[in-house]
Amino acid sequence: MQYGEKMHVPVTLRASGVVILNEGGDILLVRELGAPDQPAKAGLWHIPSGSVEEGENPQDTALREACEETGLRVRLVKFLNAYLGRFPDGVHILRTVWLAEPLPGQTPRPTFAHEVAEARYVSREEFAALYEAGQIRMSQTKLFCEDALREWTRLRVGSEAAGANA
Amino acid sequence: MQYGEKMHVPVTLRASGVVILNEGGDILLVRELGAPDQPAKAGLWHIPSGSVEEGENPQDTALREACEETGLRVRLVKFLNAYLGRFPDGVHILRTVWLAEPLPGQTPRPTFAHEVAEARYVSREEFAALYEAGQIRMSQTKLFCEDALREWTRLRVGSEAAGANA
């Protein structure tokens, strides 16, 4: 018996994003201006992310959105996860998120200044405060950042252990 | 307004897998023996894949499963997508799949011989015939392989163009 075709759930909305951390584990967030048709976004913080375009690979979307929203060329360090959301009308959205790090010698500066008001690193404490204050655009953003910090810590511990053995 | 917590859909089942292609674009499939409690799997072909373990990063799962089911150490070339499935009881399963290539100088040989009967490359024509005959374990496997072949072709065209310009 095959797992049948009925089991497959088509996903109509896809987005990709990156959690960019600096050396101290601060998180790079962007604050959206909010388009006239998307007033709900205005002024809220989120990770650099956006829609996967038709025919685009989600990994390429992540790199593109990082560049557009923060001006940074980044390296994808590790895939974190795919996070599922469902709108009240039943439409599924799937967000694929990577841990990323900027290539050296750059300063965050939004390229898409008509969409993004600001891009800056926030500490974990500030992130928690923004979340509590309802200033983070999506509740899932908290999951993205927690997963990123866990993976980032694991990678650092791994590389320190490798250094100690060298 | 935040996208609320209600929008998040928790995913209880996660799996990761790899589409491994050789130079000619043949697809590495494994044929499962099927455990006594999973007779539905017996004899069917699928890509190397398996469950994401507690606390495991899905990317690491993909590498682990490739090694266990084919004996190959592979490099993840590109993330393909996350594919959503839903069982009749409403449980969601999310499968993250990468295009991968074996590190040089290896021959496929299942390490987990108690789970996998055979691992070998099949041509696209043979894949289509197996699918038609109901010998591929999941209908989604067709999507995985189609997405992998598209990305593989795109990467080859890109690298040939780069070569021509060099």
Side-chain angles (χ1 to χ4, degrees):
Chain A
M1 192 198 75
Q2 282 180 308
Y3 280 94
E5 287 173 25
K6 280 187 190 162
M7 227 201 76
H8 177 64
V9 180
V11 173
T12 44
L13 295 175
R14 289 185 180 269
S16 280
V18 285
V19 181
I20 300 172
L21 300 174
N22 69 9
E23 278 294 304
D26 301 323
I27 304 157
L28 185 56
L29 294 184
V30 299
R31 189 165 60 83
E32 293 209 348
L33 285 167
D37 61 329
Q38 292 182 307
K41 283 184 174 186
L44 300 183
W45 295 89
H46 66 130
I47 62 164
S49 66
S51 298
V52 177
E53 292 177 1
E54 179 68 30
E56 190 177 37
N57 179 287
Q59 192 173 315
D60 296 329
T61 308
L63 294 169
R64 178 176 57 73
E65 290 288 342
C67 190
E68 289 176 359
E69 299 199 341
T70 72
L72 297 176
R73 283 169 304 117
V74 302
R75 182 176 80 84
L76 302 183
V77 175
K78 197 133 191 183
F79 175 77
L80 292 174
N81 229 328
Y83 305 83
L84 182 61
R86 187 167 44 207
F87 290 98
D89 60 2
V91 169
H92 284 103
I93 180 165
L94 203 47
R95 298 189 172 92
T96 40
V97 182
W98 280 262
L99 173 64
E101 68 181 18
L103 304 184
Q106 305 175 86
T107 304
R109 184 178 300 129
T111 309
F112 275 29
H114 56 290
E115 287 184 6
V116 176
E118 193 179 353
R120 69 175 174 84
Y121 287 99
V122 306
S123 69
R124 292 175 228 191
E125 294 72 23
E126 188 178 357
F127 182 90
L130 286 169
Y131 186 81
E132 284 304 313
Q135 293 299 304
I136 302 287
R137 186 157 77 87
M138 291 185 296
S139 63
Q140 282 185 334
T141 305
K142 189 156 174 281
L143 293 181
F144 308 157
C145 293
E146 285 168 358
D147 288 350
L149 283 162
R150 187 170 52 245
E151 200 58 37
W152 178 81
T153 303
R154 193 186 294 180
L155 290 168
R156 278 169 74 97
V157 169
S159 78
E160 278 166 20
N165 291 335
Chain B
M1 191 198 76
Q2 283 182 306
Y3 281 93
E5 288 174 23
K6 281 187 187 161
M7 229 200 75
H8 177 64
V9 180
V11 173
T12 45
L13 296 175
R14 290 186 180 267
S16 281
V18 285
V19 181
I20 300 171
L21 301 175
N22 69 11
E23 279 293 302
D26 301 324
I27 303 156
L28 185 56
L29 294 183
V30 299
R31 189 165 59 83
E32 293 209 347
L33 284 166
D37 61 331
Q38 292 182 305
K41 283 183 174 187
L44 299 184
W45 294 90
H46 67 129
I47 62 164
S49 67
S51 298
V52 177
E53 292 177 359
E54 180 67 29
E56 189 177 37
N57 179 288
Q59 190 173 316
D60 296 329
T61 309
L63 293 170
R64 178 177 57 73
E65 290 287 343
C67 190
E68 289 176 0
E69 299 199 341
T70 72
L72 297 176
R73 283 170 303 116
V74 302
R75 182 176 80 85
L76 302 183
V77 176
K78 196 134 193 182
F79 175 77
L80 292 175
N81 229 327
Y83 305 83
L84 182 62
R86 188 167 44 208
F87 290 98
D89 60 3
V91 169
H92 284 104
I93 180 164
L94 203 46
R95 298 187 171 94
T96 39
V97 182
W98 280 263
L99 173 64
E101 68 180 20
L103 303 184
Q106 306 175 84
T107 305
R109 183 178 302 129
T111 309
F112 275 30
H114 56 291
E115 286 184 7
V116 176
E118 192 178 354
R120 69 175 174 84
Y121 287 100
V122 306
S123 68
R124 293 176 227 192
E125 294 72 23
E126 188 179 358
F127 182 90
L130 286 168
Y131 186 80
E132 284 303 313
Q135 293 299 304
I136 302 287
R137 186 157 78 89
M138 291 185 295
S139 63
Q140 281 184 334
T141 304
K142 190 156 174 279
L143 293 182
F144 308 157
C145 293
E146 284 168 358
D147 289 349
L149 284 162
R150 188 170 52 246
E151 201 57 38
W152 178 81
T153 303
R154 193 187 293 179
L155 290 167
R156 278 170 74 97
V157 169
S159 79
E160 277 166 21
N165 290 335

